[in-house]
Each structure stands twice: as C-alpha cells, then as structure tokens.
PDB file of all heavy atoms in Angstrom:
ATOM      1  N   HIS I   1       0.826  -1.213   0.000  1.00 97.00           N
ATOM      2  CA  HIS I   1       0.000   0.000   0.000  1.00 97.00           C
ATOM      3  C   HIS I   1       0.862   1.265   0.000  1.00 97.00           C
ATOM      4  O   HIS I   1       0.533   2.241  -0.683  1.00 97.00           O
ATOM      5  CB  HIS I   1      -0.949  -0.007   1.201  1.00 97.00           C
ATOM      6  CG  HIS I   1      -1.913   1.145   1.195  1.00 97.00           C
ATOM      7  ND1 HIS I   1      -2.927   1.246   0.261  1.00 97.00           N
ATOM      8  CD2 HIS I   1      -1.998   2.254   1.970  1.00 97.00           C
ATOM      9  CE1 HIS I   1      -3.604   2.366   0.479  1.00 97.00           C
ATOM     10  NE2 HIS I   1      -3.059   2.992   1.513  1.00 97.00           N
ATOM     11  N   THR I   2       1.951   1.258   0.740  1.00 98.00           N
ATOM     12  CA  THR I   2       2.856   2.418   0.763  1.00 98.00           C
ATOM     13  C   THR I   2       3.409   2.670  -0.633  1.00 98.00           C
ATOM     14  O   THR I   2       3.474   3.811  -1.093  1.00 98.00           O
ATOM     15  CB  THR I   2       4.019   2.184   1.758  1.00 98.00           C
ATOM     16  OG1 THR I   2       3.455   2.000   3.062  1.00 98.00           O
ATOM     17  CG2 THR I   2       4.991   3.341   1.766  1.00 98.00           C
ATOM     18  N   GLY I   3       3.797   1.614  -1.315  1.00 98.00           N
ATOM     19  CA  GLY I   3       4.295   1.747  -2.679  1.00 98.00           C
ATOM     20  C   GLY I   3       3.245   2.308  -3.621  1.00 98.00           C
ATOM     21  O   GLY I   3       3.536   3.155  -4.474  1.00 98.00           O
ATOM     22  N   TYR I   4       2.011   1.850  -3.458  1.00 98.00           N
ATOM     23  CA  TYR I   4       0.911   2.364  -4.283  1.00 98.00           C
ATOM     24  C   TYR I   4       0.727   3.865  -4.050  1.00 98.00           C
ATOM     25  O   TYR I   4       0.598   4.640  -4.996  1.00 98.00           O
ATOM     26  CB  TYR I   4      -0.379   1.600  -3.971  1.00 98.00           C
ATOM     27  CG  TYR I   4      -1.585   2.090  -4.724  1.00 98.00           C
ATOM     28  CD1 TYR I   4      -1.739   1.815  -6.082  1.00 98.00           C
ATOM     29  CD2 TYR I   4      -2.573   2.839  -4.091  1.00 98.00           C
ATOM     30  CE1 TYR I   4      -2.850   2.269  -6.776  1.00 98.00           C
ATOM     31  CE2 TYR I   4      -3.680   3.296  -4.783  1.00 98.00           C
ATOM     32  CZ  TYR I   4      -3.813   3.009  -6.121  1.00 98.00           C
ATOM     33  OH  TYR I   4      -4.912   3.473  -6.811  1.00 98.00           O
ATOM     34  N   GLN I   5       0.750   4.274  -2.790  1.00 98.00           N
ATOM     35  CA  GLN I   5       0.616   5.697  -2.470  1.00 98.00           C
ATOM     36  C   GLN I   5       1.774   6.496  -3.067  1.00 98.00           C
ATOM     37  O   GLN I   5       1.578   7.603  -3.580  1.00 98.00           O
ATOM     38  CB  GLN I   5       0.558   5.894  -0.954  1.00 98.00           C
ATOM     39  CG  GLN I   5      -0.724   5.390  -0.341  1.00 98.00           C
ATOM     40  CD  GLN I   5      -0.726   5.543   1.172  1.00 98.00           C
ATOM     41  OE1 GLN I   5       0.248   5.229   1.836  1.00 98.00           O
ATOM     42  NE2 GLN I   5      -1.845   6.026   1.690  1.00 98.00           N
ATOM     43  N   ASN I   6       2.984   5.930  -2.997  1.00 98.00           N
ATOM     44  CA  ASN I   6       4.138   6.630  -3.557  1.00 98.00           C
ATOM     45  C   ASN I   6       4.066   6.719  -5.079  1.00 98.00           C
ATOM     46  O   ASN I   6       4.452   7.734  -5.659  1.00 98.00           O
ATOM     47  CB  ASN I   6       5.443   5.978  -3.095  1.00 98.00           C
ATOM     48  CG  ASN I   6       5.796   6.395  -1.680  1.00 98.00           C
ATOM     49  OD1 ASN I   6       5.456   7.489  -1.242  1.00 98.00           O
ATOM     50  ND2 ASN I   6       6.468   5.529  -0.956  1.00 98.00           N
ATOM     51  N   LEU I   7       3.555   5.683  -5.722  1.00 98.00           N
ATOM     52  CA  LEU I   7       3.356   5.765  -7.177  1.00 98.00           C
ATOM     53  C   LEU I   7       2.373   6.883  -7.513  1.00 98.00           C
ATOM     54  O   LEU I   7       2.579   7.630  -8.477  1.00 98.00           O
ATOM     55  CB  LEU I   7       2.848   4.438  -7.739  1.00 98.00           C
ATOM     56  CG  LEU I   7       3.838   3.297  -7.872  1.00 98.00           C
ATOM     57  CD1 LEU I   7       3.156   2.062  -8.458  1.00 98.00           C
ATOM     58  CD2 LEU I   7       5.036   3.680  -8.712  1.00 98.00           C
ATOM     59  N   MET I   8       1.304   7.016  -6.722  1.00 98.00           N
ATOM     60  CA  MET I   8       0.336   8.093  -6.958  1.00 98.00           C
ATOM     61  C   MET I   8       0.996   9.466  -6.796  1.00 98.00           C
ATOM     62  O   MET I   8       0.731  10.387  -7.567  1.00 98.00           O
ATOM     63  CB  MET I   8      -0.869   7.951  -6.035  1.00 98.00           C
ATOM     64  CG  MET I   8      -1.769   6.789  -6.411  1.00 98.00           C
ATOM     65  SD  MET I   8      -3.362   6.773  -5.570  1.00 98.00           S
ATOM     66  CE  MET I   8      -2.881   6.603  -3.861  1.00 98.00           C
ATOM     67  N   LYS I   9       1.873   9.597  -5.800  1.00 98.00           N
ATOM     68  CA  LYS I   9       2.601  10.864  -5.618  1.00 98.00           C
ATOM     69  C   LYS I   9       3.476  11.168  -6.829  1.00 98.00           C
ATOM     70  O   LYS I   9       3.548  12.313  -7.292  1.00 98.00           O
ATOM     71  CB  LYS I   9       3.469  10.812  -4.357  1.00 98.00           C
ATOM     72  CG  LYS I   9       2.700  10.835  -3.069  1.00 98.00           C
ATOM     73  CD  LYS I   9       3.648  10.693  -1.890  1.00 98.00           C
ATOM     74  CE  LYS I   9       2.893  10.477  -0.595  1.00 98.00           C
ATOM     75  NZ  LYS I   9       3.792  10.237   0.539  1.00 98.00           N
ATOM     76  N   LEU I  10       4.153  10.133  -7.338  1.00 98.00           N
ATOM     77  CA  LEU I  10       5.028  10.322  -8.492  1.00 98.00           C
ATOM     78  C   LEU I  10       4.222  10.727  -9.733  1.00 98.00           C
ATOM     79  O   LEU I  10       4.615  11.633 -10.474  1.00 98.00           O
ATOM     80  CB  LEU I  10       5.827   9.042  -8.772  1.00 98.00           C
ATOM     81  CG  LEU I  10       6.848   8.652  -7.701  1.00 98.00           C
ATOM     82  CD1 LEU I  10       7.403   7.256  -7.975  1.00 98.00           C
ATOM     83  CD2 LEU I  10       7.970   9.673  -7.619  1.00 98.00           C
ATOM     84  N   VAL I  11       3.081  10.070  -9.950  1.00 98.00           N
ATOM     85  CA  VAL I  11       2.247  10.398 -11.108  1.00 98.00           C
ATOM     86  C   VAL I  11       1.699  11.811 -10.979  1.00 98.00           C
ATOM     87  O   VAL I  11       1.657  12.570 -11.964  1.00 98.00           O
ATOM     88  CB  VAL I  11       1.100   9.372 -11.269  1.00 98.00           C
ATOM     89  CG1 VAL I  11       0.071   9.849 -12.284  1.00 98.00           C
ATOM     90  CG2 VAL I  11       1.656   8.027 -11.691  1.00 98.00           C
ATOM     91  N   THR I  12       1.280  12.189  -9.788  1.00 98.00           N
ATOM     92  CA  THR I  12       0.763  13.541  -9.572  1.00 98.00           C
ATOM     93  C   THR I  12       1.839  14.573  -9.871  1.00 98.00           C
ATOM     94  O   THR I  12       1.597  15.544 -10.605  1.00 98.00           O
ATOM     95  CB  THR I  12       0.251  13.696  -8.119  1.00 98.00           C
ATOM     96  OG1 THR I  12      -0.795  12.744  -7.905  1.00 98.00           O
ATOM     97  CG2 THR I  12      -0.263  15.098  -7.864  1.00 98.00           C
ATOM     98  N   HIS I  13       3.040  14.361  -9.333  1.00 98.00           N
ATOM     99  CA  HIS I  13       4.144  15.292  -9.608  1.00 98.00           C
ATOM    100  C   HIS I  13       4.428  15.358 -11.112  1.00 98.00           C
ATOM    101  O   HIS I  13       4.595  16.440 -11.663  1.00 98.00           O
ATOM    102  CB  HIS I  13       5.416  14.867  -8.867  1.00 98.00           C
ATOM    103  CG  HIS I  13       6.615  15.649  -9.313  1.00 98.00           C
ATOM    104  ND1 HIS I  13       6.931  16.877  -8.786  1.00 98.00           N
ATOM    105  CD2 HIS I  13       7.554  15.384 -10.267  1.00 98.00           C
ATOM    106  CE1 HIS I  13       8.017  17.351  -9.394  1.00 98.00           C
ATOM    107  NE2 HIS I  13       8.411  16.444 -10.294  1.00 98.00           N
ATOM    108  N   SER I  14       4.471  14.204 -11.758  1.00 97.00           N
ATOM    109  CA  SER I  14       4.841  14.170 -13.175  1.00 97.00           C
ATOM    110  C   SER I  14       3.860  14.948 -14.045  1.00 97.00           C
ATOM    111  O   SER I  14       4.254  15.585 -15.015  1.00 97.00           O
ATOM    112  CB  SER I  14       4.967  12.727 -13.668  1.00 97.00           C
ATOM    113  OG  SER I  14       3.715  12.098 -13.754  1.00 97.00           O
ATOM    114  N   ASN I  15       2.584  14.907 -13.684  1.00 96.00           N
ATOM    115  CA  ASN I  15       1.577  15.602 -14.480  1.00 96.00           C
ATOM    116  C   ASN I  15       1.401  17.066 -14.097  1.00 96.00           C
ATOM    117  O   ASN I  15       1.166  17.902 -14.971  1.00 96.00           O
ATOM    118  CB  ASN I  15       0.239  14.862 -14.382  1.00 96.00           C
ATOM    119  CG  ASN I  15       0.207  13.637 -15.264  1.00 96.00           C
ATOM    120  OD1 ASN I  15      -0.012  13.737 -16.459  1.00 96.00           O
ATOM    121  ND2 ASN I  15       0.474  12.482 -14.688  1.00 96.00           N
ATOM    122  N   LEU I  16       1.520  17.382 -12.821  1.00 97.00           N
ATOM    123  CA  LEU I  16       1.307  18.767 -12.396  1.00 97.00           C
ATOM    124  C   LEU I  16       2.563  19.623 -12.480  1.00 97.00           C
ATOM    125  O   LEU I  16       2.486  20.805 -12.816  1.00 97.00           O
ATOM    126  CB  LEU I  16       0.775  18.805 -10.958  1.00 97.00           C
ATOM    127  CG  LEU I  16      -0.607  18.203 -10.733  1.00 97.00           C
ATOM    128  CD1 LEU I  16      -1.012  18.322  -9.265  1.00 97.00           C
ATOM    129  CD2 LEU I  16      -1.648  18.857 -11.634  1.00 97.00           C
ATOM    130  N   ASN I  17       3.712  19.047 -12.178  1.00 97.00           N
ATOM    131  CA  ASN I  17       4.944  19.835 -12.114  1.00 97.00           C
ATOM    132  C   ASN I  17       5.954  19.489 -13.207  1.00 97.00           C
ATOM    133  O   ASN I  17       6.659  20.355 -13.693  1.00 97.00           O
ATOM    134  CB  ASN I  17       5.628  19.639 -10.751  1.00 97.00           C
ATOM    135  CG  ASN I  17       4.704  19.968  -9.610  1.00 97.00           C
ATOM    136  OD1 ASN I  17       4.015  20.974  -9.630  1.00 97.00           O
ATOM    137  ND2 ASN I  17       4.655  19.099  -8.623  1.00 97.00           N
ATOM    138  N   GLY I  18       6.041  18.216 -13.563  1.00 96.00           N
ATOM    139  CA  GLY I  18       7.098  17.776 -14.459  1.00 96.00           C
ATOM    140  C   GLY I  18       6.706  17.658 -15.914  1.00 96.00           C
ATOM    141  O   GLY I  18       7.514  17.246 -16.743  1.00 96.00           O
ATOM    142  N   PHE I  19       5.477  18.018 -16.263  1.00 96.00           N
ATOM    143  CA  PHE I  19       5.034  17.798 -17.635  1.00 96.00           C
ATOM    144  C   PHE I  19       5.783  18.694 -18.615  1.00 96.00           C
ATOM    145  O   PHE I  19       5.759  19.914 -18.514  1.00 96.00           O
ATOM    146  CB  PHE I  19       3.526  18.035 -17.781  1.00 96.00           C
ATOM    147  CG  PHE I  19       2.973  17.388 -19.019  1.00 96.00           C
ATOM    148  CD1 PHE I  19       2.389  16.136 -18.949  1.00 96.00           C
ATOM    149  CD2 PHE I  19       3.070  18.006 -20.253  1.00 96.00           C
ATOM    150  CE1 PHE I  19       1.900  15.511 -20.092  1.00 96.00           C
ATOM    151  CE2 PHE I  19       2.587  17.388 -21.396  1.00 96.00           C
ATOM    152  CZ  PHE I  19       1.996  16.142 -21.317  1.00 96.00           C
ATOM    153  N   TYR I  20       6.459  18.050 -19.549  1.00 96.00           N
ATOM    154  CA  TYR I  20       7.117  18.726 -20.663  1.00 96.00           C
ATOM    155  C   TYR I  20       7.178  17.705 -21.791  1.00 96.00           C
ATOM    156  O   TYR I  20       7.993  16.791 -21.763  1.00 96.00           O
ATOM    157  CB  TYR I  20       8.522  19.207 -20.265  1.00 96.00           C
ATOM    158  CG  TYR I  20       9.254  19.943 -21.350  1.00 96.00           C
ATOM    159  CD1 TYR I  20       8.772  21.150 -21.839  1.00 96.00           C
ATOM    160  CD2 TYR I  20      10.425  19.435 -21.881  1.00 96.00           C
ATOM    161  CE1 TYR I  20       9.451  21.838 -22.836  1.00 96.00           C
ATOM    162  CE2 TYR I  20      11.109  20.112 -22.876  1.00 96.00           C
ATOM    163  CZ  TYR I  20      10.613  21.319 -23.352  1.00 96.00           C
ATOM    164  OH  TYR I  20      11.287  21.994 -24.347  1.00 96.00           O
ATOM    165  N   TYR I  21       6.262  17.768 -22.717  1.00 94.00           N
ATOM    166  CA  TYR I  21       6.039  16.785 -23.765  1.00 94.00           C
ATOM    167  C   TYR I  21       5.470  15.485 -23.194  1.00 94.00           C
ATOM    168  O   TYR I  21       4.627  14.861 -23.787  1.00 94.00           O
ATOM    169  CB  TYR I  21       7.304  16.485 -24.585  1.00 94.00           C
ATOM    170  CG  TYR I  21       7.678  17.641 -25.487  1.00 94.00           C
ATOM    171  CD1 TYR I  21       8.468  18.680 -25.018  1.00 94.00           C
ATOM    172  CD2 TYR I  21       7.226  17.685 -26.793  1.00 94.00           C
ATOM    173  CE1 TYR I  21       8.791  19.746 -25.838  1.00 94.00           C
ATOM    174  CE2 TYR I  21       7.551  18.749 -27.623  1.00 94.00           C
ATOM    175  CZ  TYR I  21       8.337  19.784 -27.130  1.00 94.00           C
ATOM    176  OH  TYR I  21       8.655  20.847 -27.940  1.00 94.00           O
ATOM    177  N   LYS I  22       5.968  15.058 -22.037  1.00 95.00           N
ATOM    178  CA  LYS I  22       5.483  13.864 -21.351  1.00 95.00           C
ATOM    179  C   LYS I  22       5.455  14.160 -19.847  1.00 95.00           C
ATOM    180  O   LYS I  22       6.184  15.025 -19.364  1.00 95.00           O
ATOM    181  CB  LYS I  22       6.403  12.674 -21.617  1.00 95.00           C
ATOM    182  CG  LYS I  22       6.466  12.246 -23.076  1.00 95.00           C
ATOM    183  CD  LYS I  22       7.349  11.053 -23.257  1.00 95.00           C
ATOM    184  CE  LYS I  22       7.557  10.629 -24.673  1.00 95.00           C
ATOM    185  NZ  LYS I  22       6.479  10.574 -25.587  1.00 95.00           N
ATOM    186  N   PRO I  23       4.648  13.418 -19.086  1.00 97.00           N
ATOM    187  CA  PRO I  23       4.650  13.606 -17.623  1.00 97.00           C
ATOM    188  C   PRO I  23       5.918  12.990 -17.016  1.00 97.00           C
ATOM    189  O   PRO I  23       6.111  11.790 -17.089  1.00 97.00           O
ATOM    190  CB  PRO I  23       3.392  12.860 -17.174  1.00 97.00           C
ATOM    191  CG  PRO I  23       3.124  11.866 -18.256  1.00 97.00           C
ATOM    192  CD  PRO I  23       3.667  12.435 -19.525  1.00 97.00           C
ATOM    193  N   ARG I  24       6.790  13.827 -16.426  1.00 97.00           N
ATOM    194  CA  ARG I  24       8.109  13.352 -15.995  1.00 97.00           C
ATOM    195  C   ARG I  24       8.323  13.479 -14.492  1.00 97.00           C
ATOM    196  O   ARG I  24       7.848  14.419 -13.856  1.00 97.00           O
ATOM    197  CB  ARG I  24       9.215  14.162 -16.694  1.00 97.00           C
ATOM    198  CG  ARG I  24       9.172  14.114 -18.202  1.00 97.00           C
ATOM    199  CD  ARG I  24      10.072  15.166 -18.840  1.00 97.00           C
ATOM    200  NE  ARG I  24       9.776  16.471 -18.284  1.00 97.00           N
ATOM    201  CZ  ARG I  24      10.706  17.358 -17.899  1.00 97.00           C
ATOM    202  NH1 ARG I  24      11.976  17.104 -18.039  1.00 97.00           N
ATOM    203  NH2 ARG I  24      10.351  18.522 -17.392  1.00 97.00           N
ATOM    204  N   ILE I  25       9.074  12.522 -13.974  1.00 98.00           N
ATOM    205  CA  ILE I  25       9.600  12.596 -12.619  1.00 98.00           C
ATOM    206  C   ILE I  25      11.114  12.770 -12.758  1.00 98.00           C
ATOM    207  O   ILE I  25      11.625  12.871 -13.869  1.00 98.00           O
ATOM    208  CB  ILE I  25       9.267  11.333 -11.787  1.00 98.00           C
ATOM    209  CG1 ILE I  25       9.853  10.069 -12.441  1.00 98.00           C
ATOM    210  CG2 ILE I  25       7.768  11.208 -11.582  1.00 98.00           C
ATOM    211  CD1 ILE I  25       9.729   8.810 -11.586  1.00 98.00           C
ATOM    212  N   ASP I  26      11.815  12.794 -11.642  1.00 97.00           N
ATOM    213  CA  ASP I  26      13.273  12.794 -11.680  1.00 97.00           C
ATOM    214  C   ASP I  26      13.791  11.934 -10.535  1.00 97.00           C
ATOM    215  O   ASP I  26      13.013  11.442  -9.713  1.00 97.00           O
ATOM    216  CB  ASP I  26      13.844  14.218 -11.640  1.00 97.00           C
ATOM    217  CG  ASP I  26      13.382  15.023 -10.444  1.00 97.00           C
ATOM    218  OD1 ASP I  26      13.399  14.491  -9.309  1.00 97.00           O
ATOM    219  OD2 ASP I  26      12.989  16.193 -10.619  1.00 97.00           O
ATOM    220  N   LYS I  27      15.101  11.742 -10.492  1.00 97.00           N
ATOM    221  CA  LYS I  27      15.669  10.845  -9.489  1.00 97.00           C
ATOM    222  C   LYS I  27      15.488  11.373  -8.069  1.00 97.00           C
ATOM    223  O   LYS I  27      15.328  10.586  -7.138  1.00 97.00           O
ATOM    224  CB  LYS I  27      17.151  10.603  -9.774  1.00 97.00           C
ATOM    225  CG  LYS I  27      17.377   9.635 -10.902  1.00 97.00           C
ATOM    226  CD  LYS I  27      18.866   9.355 -11.042  1.00 97.00           C
ATOM    227  CE  LYS I  27      19.144   8.263 -12.027  1.00 97.00           C
ATOM    228  NZ  LYS I  27      20.582   8.069 -12.218  1.00 97.00           N
ATOM    229  N   LYS I  28      15.471  12.681  -7.910  1.00 98.00           N
ATOM    230  CA  LYS I  28      15.309  13.240  -6.563  1.00 98.00           C
ATOM    231  C   LYS I  28      13.937  12.885  -5.991  1.00 98.00           C
ATOM    232  O   LYS I  28      13.829  12.374  -4.874  1.00 98.00           O
ATOM    233  CB  LYS I  28      15.497  14.757  -6.595  1.00 98.00           C
ATOM    234  CG  LYS I  28      15.381  15.397  -5.235  1.00 98.00           C
ATOM    235  CD  LYS I  28      15.609  16.897  -5.294  1.00 98.00           C
ATOM    236  CE  LYS I  28      15.485  17.460  -3.904  1.00 98.00           C
ATOM    237  NZ  LYS I  28      14.656  18.640  -3.822  1.00 98.00           N
ATOM    238  N   ILE I  29      12.881  13.131  -6.758  1.00 98.00           N
ATOM    239  CA  ILE I  29      11.532  12.820  -6.249  1.00 98.00           C
ATOM    240  C   ILE I  29      11.326  11.310  -6.161  1.00 98.00           C
ATOM    241  O   ILE I  29      10.621  10.823  -5.285  1.00 98.00           O
ATOM    242  CB  ILE I  29      10.426  13.509  -7.077  1.00 98.00           C
ATOM    243  CG1 ILE I  29       9.082  13.409  -6.323  1.00 98.00           C
ATOM    244  CG2 ILE I  29      10.305  12.936  -8.459  1.00 98.00           C
ATOM    245  CD1 ILE I  29       8.077  14.425  -6.692  1.00 98.00           C
ATOM    246  N   LEU I  30      11.981  10.556  -7.045  1.00 98.00           N
ATOM    247  CA  LEU I  30      11.891   9.104  -6.982  1.00 98.00           C
ATOM    248  C   LEU I  30      12.533   8.590  -5.699  1.00 98.00           C
ATOM    249  O   LEU I  30      11.975   7.731  -5.015  1.00 98.00           O
ATOM    250  CB  LEU I  30      12.559   8.487  -8.213  1.00 98.00           C
ATOM    251  CG  LEU I  30      12.524   6.970  -8.336  1.00 98.00           C
ATOM    252  CD1 LEU I  30      11.096   6.441  -8.299  1.00 98.00           C
ATOM    253  CD2 LEU I  30      13.218   6.543  -9.625  1.00 98.00           C
ATOM    254  N   GLU I  31      13.682   9.122  -5.370  1.00 98.00           N
ATOM    255  CA  GLU I  31      14.364   8.707  -4.142  1.00 98.00           C
ATOM    256  C   GLU I  31      13.525   9.045  -2.908  1.00 98.00           C
ATOM    257  O   GLU I  31      13.417   8.239  -1.981  1.00 98.00           O
ATOM    258  CB  GLU I  31      15.728   9.388  -4.048  1.00 98.00           C
ATOM    259  CG  GLU I  31      16.575   8.909  -2.906  1.00 98.00           C
ATOM    260  CD  GLU I  31      18.000   9.439  -2.963  1.00 98.00           C
ATOM    261  OE1 GLU I  31      18.322  10.265  -3.832  1.00 98.00           O
ATOM    262  OE2 GLU I  31      18.795   9.018  -2.107  1.00 98.00           O
ATOM    263  N   GLU I  32      12.886  10.198  -2.907  1.00 98.00           N
ATOM    264  CA  GLU I  32      12.053  10.631  -1.778  1.00 98.00           C
ATOM    265  C   GLU I  32      10.811   9.751  -1.614  1.00 98.00           C
ATOM    266  O   GLU I  32      10.235   9.690  -0.534  1.00 98.00           O
ATOM    267  CB  GLU I  32      11.614  12.089  -1.968  1.00 98.00           C
ATOM    268  CG  GLU I  32      12.751  13.089  -1.854  1.00 98.00           C
ATOM    269  CD  GLU I  32      12.356  14.480  -2.325  1.00 98.00           C
ATOM    270  OE1 GLU I  32      11.194  14.687  -2.766  1.00 98.00           O
ATOM    271  OE2 GLU I  32      13.224  15.376  -2.262  1.00 98.00           O
ATOM    272  N   ASN I  33      10.388   9.100  -2.695  1.00 98.00           N
ATOM    273  CA  ASN I  33       9.154   8.307  -2.685  1.00 98.00           C
ATOM    274  C   ASN I  33       9.393   6.866  -3.127  1.00 98.00           C
ATOM    275  O   ASN I  33       8.536   6.248  -3.742  1.00 98.00           O
ATOM    276  CB  ASN I  33       8.114   8.968  -3.597  1.00 98.00           C
ATOM    277  CG  ASN I  33       7.700  10.325  -3.105  1.00 98.00           C
ATOM    278  OD1 ASN I  33       6.920  10.432  -2.169  1.00 98.00           O
ATOM    279  ND2 ASN I  33       8.246  11.366  -3.702  1.00 98.00           N
ATOM    280  N   SER I  34      10.537   6.293  -2.789  1.00 98.00           N
ATOM    281  CA  SER I  34      10.901   4.955  -3.257  1.00 98.00           C
ATOM    282  C   SER I  34      10.413   3.826  -2.353  1.00 98.00           C
ATOM    283  O   SER I  34      10.394   2.671  -2.772  1.00 98.00           O
ATOM    284  CB  SER I  34      12.426   4.856  -3.401  1.00 98.00           C
ATOM    285  OG  SER I  34      13.054   5.030  -2.147  1.00 98.00           O
ATOM    286  N   GLN I  35       9.996   4.144  -1.158  1.00 98.00           N
ATOM    287  CA  GLN I  35       9.583   3.093  -0.225  1.00 98.00           C
ATOM    288  C   GLN I  35       8.379   2.322  -0.767  1.00 98.00           C
ATOM    289  O   GLN I  35       7.411   2.894  -1.259  1.00 98.00           O
ATOM    290  CB  GLN I  35       9.236   3.697   1.131  1.00 98.00           C
ATOM    291  CG  GLN I  35       8.972   2.648   2.196  1.00 98.00           C
ATOM    292  CD  GLN I  35       8.690   3.276   3.558  1.00 98.00           C
ATOM    293  OE1 GLN I  35       8.644   4.469   3.721  1.00 98.00           O
ATOM    294  NE2 GLN I  35       8.481   2.428   4.529  1.00 98.00           N
ATOM    295  N   GLY I  36       8.461   1.006  -0.716  1.00 98.00           N
ATOM    296  CA  GLY I  36       7.369   0.154  -1.162  1.00 98.00           C
ATOM    297  C   GLY I  36       7.283  -0.013  -2.665  1.00 98.00           C
ATOM    298  O   GLY I  36       6.307  -0.546  -3.176  1.00 98.00           O
ATOM    299  N   ILE I  37       8.313   0.429  -3.378  1.00 98.00           N
ATOM    300  CA  ILE I  37       8.319   0.345  -4.839  1.00 98.00           C
ATOM    301  C   ILE I  37       9.432  -0.595  -5.291  1.00 98.00           C
ATOM    302  O   ILE I  37      10.539  -0.573  -4.759  1.00 98.00           O
ATOM    303  CB  ILE I  37       8.507   1.742  -5.480  1.00 98.00           C
ATOM    304  CG1 ILE I  37       7.279   2.608  -5.202  1.00 98.00           C
ATOM    305  CG2 ILE I  37       8.769   1.629  -6.978  1.00 98.00           C
ATOM    306  CD1 ILE I  37       7.379   4.034  -5.738  1.00 98.00           C
ATOM    307  N   ILE I  38       9.122  -1.407  -6.279  1.00 98.00           N
ATOM    308  CA  ILE I  38      10.102  -2.264  -6.945  1.00 98.00           C
ATOM    309  C   ILE I  38      10.444  -1.592  -8.265  1.00 98.00           C
ATOM    310  O   ILE I  38       9.541  -1.214  -9.028  1.00 98.00           O
ATOM    311  CB  ILE I  38       9.520  -3.670  -7.198  1.00 98.00           C
ATOM    312  CG1 ILE I  38       9.234  -4.364  -5.857  1.00 98.00           C
ATOM    313  CG2 ILE I  38      10.460  -4.500  -8.062  1.00 98.00           C
ATOM    314  CD1 ILE I  38       8.405  -5.629  -5.989  1.00 98.00           C
ATOM    315  N   ALA I  39      11.735  -1.419  -8.540  1.00 98.00           N
ATOM    316  CA  ALA I  39      12.189  -0.799  -9.788  1.00 98.00           C
ATOM    317  C   ALA I  39      12.771  -1.868 -10.702  1.00 98.00           C
ATOM    318  O   ALA I  39      13.559  -2.702 -10.264  1.00 98.00           O
ATOM    319  CB  ALA I  39      13.225   0.281  -9.502  1.00 98.00           C
ATOM    320  N   LEU I  40      12.367  -1.823 -11.961  1.00 97.00           N
ATOM    321  CA  LEU I  40      12.902  -2.722 -12.978  1.00 97.00           C
ATOM    322  C   LEU I  40      13.774  -1.896 -13.917  1.00 97.00           C
ATOM    323  O   LEU I  40      13.397  -0.794 -14.295  1.00 97.00           O
ATOM    324  CB  LEU I  40      11.772  -3.390 -13.759  1.00 97.00           C
ATOM    325  CG  LEU I  40      10.680  -4.087 -12.938  1.00 97.00           C
ATOM    326  CD1 LEU I  40       9.639  -4.696 -13.863  1.00 97.00           C
ATOM    327  CD2 LEU I  40      11.277  -5.149 -12.043  1.00 97.00           C
ATOM    328  N   SER I  41      14.916  -2.440 -14.311  1.00 94.00           N
ATOM    329  CA  SER I  41      15.888  -1.669 -15.095  1.00 94.00           C
ATOM    330  C   SER I  41      15.324  -1.101 -16.390  1.00 94.00           C
ATOM    331  O   SER I  41      15.802  -0.096 -16.877  1.00 94.00           O
ATOM    332  CB  SER I  41      17.126  -2.504 -15.397  1.00 94.00           C
ATOM    333  OG  SER I  41      16.830  -3.603 -16.229  1.00 94.00           O
ATOM    334  N   GLY I  42      14.303  -1.731 -16.927  1.00 88.00           N
ATOM    335  CA  GLY I  42      13.566  -1.112 -18.015  1.00 88.00           C
ATOM    336  C   GLY I  42      13.894  -1.571 -19.414  1.00 88.00           C
ATOM    337  O   GLY I  42      14.711  -2.447 -19.653  1.00 88.00           O
TER     338      GLY I  42
END
C-alpha cells in the first residue's frame, strides 16, 4: 500500500509539475518516494 501511495505521488508530480512533452519525474523525487516500490531496469 505504501508503494501504491508513492506511485500516486510520483504520477501527480509528473503531471502537475514535471510535464514537458510527457509527464516526468526525476531521481530526486523518486528517491524521496521509493519506499514500497520495486524498480525494474527497463
């Protein structure tokens, strides 16, 4: 559940603050909201 909440925070930031051609996050906000999240190399 914590990870789900953190994903919602990241999506909100990406659309409200980070949008530039695409909704973007950055490593700083990701690090601040990484608890409960699994990252895949992509």
Side-chain angles (χ1 to χ4, degrees):
H1 185 69
T2 299
Y4 178 74
Q5 290 177 315
N6 281 330
L7 285 180
M8 288 192 298
K9 289 177 190 176
L10 293 171
V11 169
T12 300
H13 170 85
S14 71
N15 282 280
L16 295 181
N17 305 315
F19 199 96
Y20 181 64
Y21 288 86
K22 296 182 185 316
R24 302 167 308 135
I25 60 172
D26 56 46
K27 283 185 172 176
K28 182 178 180 227
I29 193 157
L30 182 57
E31 187 171 5
E32 291 168 359
N33 296 283
S34 63
Q35 187 177 2
I37 293 177
I38 295 168
L40 308 180
S41 65

